[in-house]
Amino acid sequence: MLIWIALTALLLFSAATYMAARRKAVAATGGKPVLLHSLPGYYGSYAALWVGAPAALLILLFAMFGGRMEEALLRADPPAAVQALTAPQQDVFFDDARAIAHGGQPSETIYEGDLKTALDAKAAKAAHLQNLIQYGSVALGALLALAGIMIAYPRIGPQFRARNKVEGWIAGLFIACSVTAILTTAGIVASLVWESWRFFQAVPIHEFLFGMEWNPQIAMRADQYAGTGAFGAVPLFVGTFLIMMIAMLVAAPIGLYSAIYLSEYASPLTRSVVKPLLEILAGVPTVVYGFFAALTVGPIFRSFFNWIGAQLVGGSFDGLGQYLMQVQNQMALVAGAVMGIMLIPFVSSLSDDIINAVPQSLRDGSLAMGATRSETVKKVVLPAALPGIMAALLLAVSRAVGETMIVTMAAGLQAKTTLNPLDTVTTVTVQIVTLLTGDQEFDSPKTLSAFGLGLTLFVVTLMLNIIALRIVQKYREQYD
Amino acid sequence: MTDAAIPTAASLRQTVEARLKKRHAQEMRFRLYGRMAIIVALCFLALLLGRIVTQGYSTFVDYRIAVPVYLDPARIDKADPTGANYDMLVAQSILTKLGEQDDDLGEKSGKVMEIMSNDLGFQLLKMVREDPSLIGKTITVTGPVKSDAALYFKGQIKRSTPQDSRKLDDQQLDWMDKLKASGAVTSGFNVSFLTNSDSTEPEQAGVLGAIVGSAMMLLVTAVLAVPIGVLAATYLEEFAPKNRWTDIIEVNINNLAAVPSIVYGLLGLAVFSNWLAVPRSSPLLGGLVLALMALPTIIIATRSALKAVPPSIREAALGVGASRTQTVFHHVLPLAMPGVMTGAILSLAHALGETAPLLMIGMISFVPGVPEGFTGAATVLPVQVFIWENASERGFHERTAAAIIVLLVFMIIMNLAAILVRRRFERRW
């Protein structure tokens, strides 16, 4: 609340500075603004920027990191009674102290004796620290704003190059915005690598990458039976691969053939109707596909296979029939097929672009030699477009590997190393979701393994994308 | 050399014709494959949307029951009205209406409670609490029937199913038929689905909280991603020197656009939630994560919009003495604005439907009301769909489909807005 008041006050103050600086600049020329180096507004903006920008930045930084500063200061000198606690108990203790100080809901832990007095002391200190940090940041902000006006206001005069200075500020803003993209990548890599590194300290990396058993159960008590989980990710990789293959078997032919038809055969009218319709398919949220897979496609497939099984039982394929009778809703085929439907528009629109980029002269040449259209497509257009189409398919593979909702809702949780599409498999993304939607403890390998999986996923999709983008770039150059 | 090896005009014609026939057949087949592919894809689309509409439309009809309830002073303590069993009162009033007597064990009233929502009891409690003078009077309360009962009225629970394998027994079905015939149960448009928030009871659950949560989250996303994205794109397209650094940024942005969304969830969890201590499952946290996710697409769309502005505009502005910054802000960006807005709206629409990263940051919790603020716990439409899909009660299934319909309606509106902006303002040079 205090922050909002401070920011509003700052805004008003900057606006006042703007007016004052603008007036000063105009007055300095004796009422002839044409004599100024820059337009009068630039003088105002220059002063307002010096007043507002550093102070606002400071206040916002304090708002973002103030809580962490408070916590660090609070934990700086724990009393003896608190030091005797274990690390998680200490965390709870300090969280409670802060919760009491800020009027929040403390945990239900009961503190007695020394701990109780320590808690009260810490709670009082937390409240004090919070006030200190909040009012301190506002005071510092006010100081910065005043310093800004001291720097900027005296400089204003007819010879002052206000526009260039303001544009310097804008250039800084531009660069800051562009760097956000780099920071995002850095943040992704840093967080994944950091948490994975912690995970790989508990579980050796070769065990994770090549282990054949996935069972991330961590014991609640140290002496519990079968206390150590198994973190071999091979079953997950196989499951992901299986579902991806099924999806590509659906998406690649349908997507490619529709792209070919749309770019080579369809009339402009058909094109203008069909393309937007396919794009609807691309715009449907993945959670909707998941719902469709779990409640429509799954039961249909299951009853279909059960029916086939029922026909076969007792015949010469009795074993197969028995197996088909027991097929579950959550087979790999369901998730894969629905994911394939989702990828159709992706494959088709990318391939469509690529096929259209093949120069018309190649087609004309082939047609003039008497080839039919399909022969032209098969023997001339497709070979020319092949690298681009490969890239499109690679991008689709990367999408399929990273897709989460469909598999979370329609595939199972059982980690099995199988390539049977009628079996239940689990994928990397499903496991990440399951591991992170329960209680999260950031010191157990169970939670951290999600980051190990995330890192693997990130590296694989990144490589697929880089290869695909390279191919597309090379291919574009060929015909440009 | 035999004569047969030298083709006569007739035989040549024959072979060529035979081959042509084959080639044309091939051509037809190829074309047929293409057509089939498109038809299959469109069939999938029709099946997908058709299934959702057929599963979900029934949610928008609801059945409400109106019962006069005598607030017996003997059973409600004036000093402490919260202590009374209002559900029982309502159930017994319904029994009276049906002309039945409750037995000593309360078995019949228990059965009645299975067909009426406990919302009726809550309503009574609320009324009595606000106005204790109502005790001793007869008032009429109107509320939804239990979701299983509604499923019977909608024909999804059938009398033909054996009694053991359905939730309601024959007696309850008889009662419901009687109530319907007597006009106590009426049907109408389900307003409460759009004005209620999530609930553990399917018949009381609605999407308002999720809609508000989605709107707040999208607001955060838009406020962060659109200005940063547009400025970054403008810098890269108009100002940046071509050097190693800008190349790295470019490659980076193209790759970020293809990073799986769940990885953004992990980033949000590790950086925003754990390190910066942004409150979990809040619209602020969700908006931050989605903003990072939407950023690359907005940058790419803005760049192509800026590329479409012809260089002559820039040259003219520079020629009359504008600085490069002035050229960009006064001329190039305004002309590129329709393209920028279209791209921004489309990527926001995409963010609206995103679910996976939000599950990582704790948005999966049960939130019974409208979110209190940007840092309070919230749920959003796609996550609501996911939560309801996992619920075991059958009544939630149709609600899931209905929530999807609501989600799709919002996405269609956003896409139409994008198309409209493009049609209305787009300029061809």
Side-chain angles (χ1 to χ4, degrees), chain B residues 139-165:
Chain B
I139 50 173
T140 306
V141 281
T142 314
V145 295
K146 202 96 177 157
S147 73
D148 289 328
L151 286 178
Y152 170 67
F153 286 134
K154 287 168 190 169
Q156 292 180 32
I157 291 179
K158 290 188 184 71
R159 203 180 263 276
S160 51
T161 340
Q163 224 184 115
D164 306 336
S165 49

Short mmCIF file of all heavy atoms in Angstrom, two decimals, chain B residues 139-165:
data_model
loop_
_atom_site.label_atom_id
_atom_site.label_comp_id
_atom_site.label_asym_id
_atom_site.label_seq_id
_atom_site.Cartn_x
_atom_site.Cartn_y
_atom_site.Cartn_z
N ILE B 139 -41.48 -19.75 4.82
CA ILE B 139 -40.91 -19.03 3.68
C ILE B 139 -40.55 -20.02 2.58
O ILE B 139 -40.30 -21.20 2.84
CB ILE B 139 -39.67 -18.20 4.06
CG1 ILE B 139 -38.68 -19.06 4.83
CG2 ILE B 139 -40.04 -16.98 4.84
CD1 ILE B 139 -37.39 -18.36 5.09
N THR B 140 -40.53 -19.52 1.36
CA THR B 140 -40.23 -20.38 0.22
C THR B 140 -38.79 -20.18 -0.21
O THR B 140 -38.37 -19.04 -0.42
CB THR B 140 -41.17 -20.05 -0.95
OG1 THR B 140 -42.50 -20.13 -0.48
CG2 THR B 140 -40.97 -21.02 -2.10
N VAL B 141 -38.04 -21.26 -0.29
CA VAL B 141 -36.68 -21.15 -0.81
C VAL B 141 -36.60 -21.85 -2.16
O VAL B 141 -37.29 -22.83 -2.40
CB VAL B 141 -35.63 -21.79 0.14
CG1 VAL B 141 -35.30 -20.87 1.28
CG2 VAL B 141 -36.08 -23.14 0.61
N THR B 142 -35.78 -21.29 -3.01
CA THR B 142 -35.58 -21.87 -4.33
C THR B 142 -34.10 -22.15 -4.50
O THR B 142 -33.27 -21.29 -4.23
CB THR B 142 -36.02 -20.88 -5.43
OG1 THR B 142 -37.27 -20.34 -5.05
CG2 THR B 142 -36.13 -21.56 -6.76
N GLY B 143 -33.79 -23.35 -4.92
CA GLY B 143 -32.38 -23.68 -5.13
C GLY B 143 -32.26 -24.83 -6.10
O GLY B 143 -33.27 -25.45 -6.47
N PRO B 144 -31.05 -25.11 -6.53
CA PRO B 144 -30.84 -26.18 -7.51
C PRO B 144 -31.10 -27.55 -6.88
O PRO B 144 -30.98 -27.72 -5.67
CB PRO B 144 -29.37 -26.04 -7.91
CG PRO B 144 -28.74 -25.30 -6.79
CD PRO B 144 -29.79 -24.43 -6.19
N VAL B 145 -31.47 -28.51 -7.73
CA VAL B 145 -31.53 -29.89 -7.25
C VAL B 145 -30.13 -30.46 -7.32
O VAL B 145 -29.25 -29.89 -7.97
CB VAL B 145 -32.49 -30.75 -8.11
CG1 VAL B 145 -33.91 -30.25 -7.96
CG2 VAL B 145 -32.07 -30.77 -9.55
N LYS B 146 -29.90 -31.55 -6.65
CA LYS B 146 -28.58 -32.20 -6.66
C LYS B 146 -28.20 -32.58 -8.09
O LYS B 146 -29.07 -32.85 -8.91
CB LYS B 146 -28.68 -33.46 -5.78
CG LYS B 146 -27.36 -33.95 -5.28
CD LYS B 146 -27.12 -33.43 -3.92
CE LYS B 146 -25.84 -33.94 -3.31
NZ LYS B 146 -25.40 -33.02 -2.27
N SER B 147 -26.92 -32.63 -8.38
CA SER B 147 -26.54 -32.82 -9.78
C SER B 147 -27.00 -34.17 -10.32
O SER B 147 -27.35 -34.29 -11.49
CB SER B 147 -25.04 -32.67 -9.94
OG SER B 147 -24.38 -33.78 -9.41
N ASP B 148 -27.05 -35.19 -9.46
CA ASP B 148 -27.53 -36.48 -9.95
C ASP B 148 -29.00 -36.40 -10.36
O ASP B 148 -29.42 -36.97 -11.37
CB ASP B 148 -27.38 -37.55 -8.85
CG ASP B 148 -25.92 -37.90 -8.62
OD1 ASP B 148 -25.16 -37.84 -9.60
OD2 ASP B 148 -25.57 -38.20 -7.47
N ALA B 149 -29.76 -35.64 -9.56
CA ALA B 149 -31.18 -35.46 -9.89
C ALA B 149 -31.32 -34.72 -11.21
O ALA B 149 -32.14 -35.07 -12.06
CB ALA B 149 -31.86 -34.69 -8.77
N ALA B 150 -30.47 -33.69 -11.39
CA ALA B 150 -30.52 -32.94 -12.64
C ALA B 150 -30.19 -33.85 -13.81
O ALA B 150 -30.80 -33.76 -14.88
CB ALA B 150 -29.55 -31.76 -12.58
N LEU B 151 -29.23 -34.76 -13.60
CA LEU B 151 -28.87 -35.69 -14.67
C LEU B 151 -30.06 -36.57 -15.03
O LEU B 151 -30.25 -36.93 -16.19
CB LEU B 151 -27.68 -36.56 -14.24
CG LEU B 151 -26.32 -35.86 -14.22
CD1 LEU B 151 -25.24 -36.81 -13.73
CD2 LEU B 151 -25.95 -35.33 -15.58
N TYR B 152 -30.87 -36.92 -14.03
CA TYR B 152 -32.07 -37.71 -14.33
C TYR B 152 -33.05 -36.90 -15.17
O TYR B 152 -33.57 -37.37 -16.17
CB TYR B 152 -32.72 -38.18 -13.04
CG TYR B 152 -34.09 -38.79 -13.26
CD1 TYR B 152 -34.22 -39.99 -13.96
CD2 TYR B 152 -35.24 -38.16 -12.79
CE1 TYR B 152 -35.46 -40.53 -14.18
CE2 TYR B 152 -36.48 -38.70 -13.01
CZ TYR B 152 -36.61 -39.89 -13.71
OH TYR B 152 -37.83 -40.42 -13.93
N PHE B 153 -33.27 -35.65 -14.76
CA PHE B 153 -34.20 -34.80 -15.52
C PHE B 153 -33.71 -34.61 -16.94
O PHE B 153 -34.48 -34.49 -17.88
CB PHE B 153 -34.35 -33.44 -14.85
CG PHE B 153 -35.18 -33.47 -13.60
CD1 PHE B 153 -34.76 -32.83 -12.46
CD2 PHE B 153 -36.40 -34.15 -13.58
CE1 PHE B 153 -35.53 -32.86 -11.31
CE2 PHE B 153 -37.18 -34.19 -12.43
CZ PHE B 153 -36.74 -33.54 -11.29
N LYS B 154 -32.38 -34.56 -17.11
CA LYS B 154 -31.82 -34.35 -18.44
C LYS B 154 -31.75 -35.65 -19.23
O LYS B 154 -31.28 -35.67 -20.35
CB LYS B 154 -30.41 -33.76 -18.33
CG LYS B 154 -30.40 -32.30 -17.91
CD LYS B 154 -29.02 -31.85 -17.53
CE LYS B 154 -29.08 -30.47 -16.89
NZ LYS B 154 -27.81 -30.11 -16.27
N GLY B 155 -32.14 -36.74 -18.60
CA GLY B 155 -32.17 -38.01 -19.31
C GLY B 155 -30.85 -38.73 -19.34
O GLY B 155 -30.65 -39.67 -20.11
N GLN B 156 -29.87 -38.26 -18.54
CA GLN B 156 -28.58 -38.94 -18.57
C GLN B 156 -28.52 -40.09 -17.56
O GLN B 156 -27.69 -40.98 -17.68
CB GLN B 156 -27.45 -37.95 -18.33
CG GLN B 156 -27.34 -36.99 -19.51
CD GLN B 156 -26.25 -35.99 -19.31
OE1 GLN B 156 -25.25 -36.28 -18.69
NE2 GLN B 156 -26.45 -34.80 -19.84
N ILE B 157 -29.37 -40.02 -16.54
CA ILE B 157 -29.57 -41.21 -15.70
C ILE B 157 -30.93 -41.75 -16.09
O ILE B 157 -31.92 -41.02 -16.04
CB ILE B 157 -29.52 -40.85 -14.20
CG1 ILE B 157 -28.11 -40.44 -13.81
CG2 ILE B 157 -29.99 -42.01 -13.35
CD1 ILE B 157 -27.97 -40.05 -12.36
N LYS B 158 -30.96 -43.00 -16.51
CA LYS B 158 -32.21 -43.53 -17.07
C LYS B 158 -32.84 -44.52 -16.11
O LYS B 158 -32.16 -45.25 -15.39
CB LYS B 158 -31.93 -44.20 -18.41
CG LYS B 158 -31.55 -43.21 -19.50
CD LYS B 158 -31.47 -43.89 -20.85
CE LYS B 158 -30.99 -42.92 -21.91
NZ LYS B 158 -29.57 -42.57 -21.75
N ARG B 159 -34.16 -44.54 -16.15
CA ARG B 159 -34.89 -45.48 -15.31
C ARG B 159 -34.64 -46.91 -15.74
O ARG B 159 -34.72 -47.84 -14.94
CB ARG B 159 -36.38 -45.16 -15.42
CG ARG B 159 -37.21 -45.62 -14.26
CD ARG B 159 -38.65 -45.25 -14.49
NE ARG B 159 -39.02 -44.02 -13.83
CZ ARG B 159 -39.40 -43.95 -12.56
NH1 ARG B 159 -39.45 -45.02 -11.82
NH2 ARG B 159 -39.74 -42.79 -12.04
N SER B 160 -34.29 -47.08 -17.03
CA SER B 160 -34.10 -48.44 -17.53
C SER B 160 -32.85 -49.10 -16.97
O SER B 160 -32.74 -50.32 -16.96
CB SER B 160 -34.05 -48.42 -19.06
OG SER B 160 -33.12 -47.46 -19.49
N THR B 161 -31.90 -48.28 -16.49
CA THR B 161 -30.71 -48.89 -15.88
C THR B 161 -31.12 -49.59 -14.59
O THR B 161 -31.95 -49.07 -13.85
CB THR B 161 -29.69 -47.81 -15.50
OG1 THR B 161 -29.97 -46.64 -16.23
CG2 THR B 161 -28.27 -48.24 -15.75
N PRO B 162 -30.57 -50.77 -14.34
CA PRO B 162 -30.92 -51.45 -13.08
C PRO B 162 -30.62 -50.59 -11.85
O PRO B 162 -29.67 -49.80 -11.86
CB PRO B 162 -30.02 -52.69 -13.09
CG PRO B 162 -29.38 -52.77 -14.41
CD PRO B 162 -29.67 -51.54 -15.18
N GLN B 163 -31.44 -50.74 -10.84
CA GLN B 163 -31.38 -49.85 -9.68
C GLN B 163 -30.00 -49.84 -9.01
O GLN B 163 -29.54 -48.81 -8.55
CB GLN B 163 -32.41 -50.32 -8.66
CG GLN B 163 -33.17 -49.15 -8.07
CD GLN B 163 -34.13 -49.60 -7.00
OE1 GLN B 163 -33.97 -49.25 -5.86
NE2 GLN B 163 -35.14 -50.37 -7.37
N ASP B 164 -29.33 -51.01 -9.03
CA ASP B 164 -28.06 -51.10 -8.31
C ASP B 164 -26.97 -50.28 -8.97
O ASP B 164 -26.07 -49.80 -8.32
CB ASP B 164 -27.59 -52.56 -8.24
CG ASP B 164 -28.67 -53.43 -7.65
OD1 ASP B 164 -29.50 -52.87 -6.92
OD2 ASP B 164 -28.69 -54.64 -7.92
N SER B 165 -27.07 -50.12 -10.29
CA SER B 165 -25.96 -49.48 -10.96
C SER B 165 -26.23 -48.00 -11.25
O SER B 165 -25.57 -47.39 -12.05
CB SER B 165 -25.62 -50.22 -12.26
OG SER B 165 -26.77 -50.43 -13.00
#
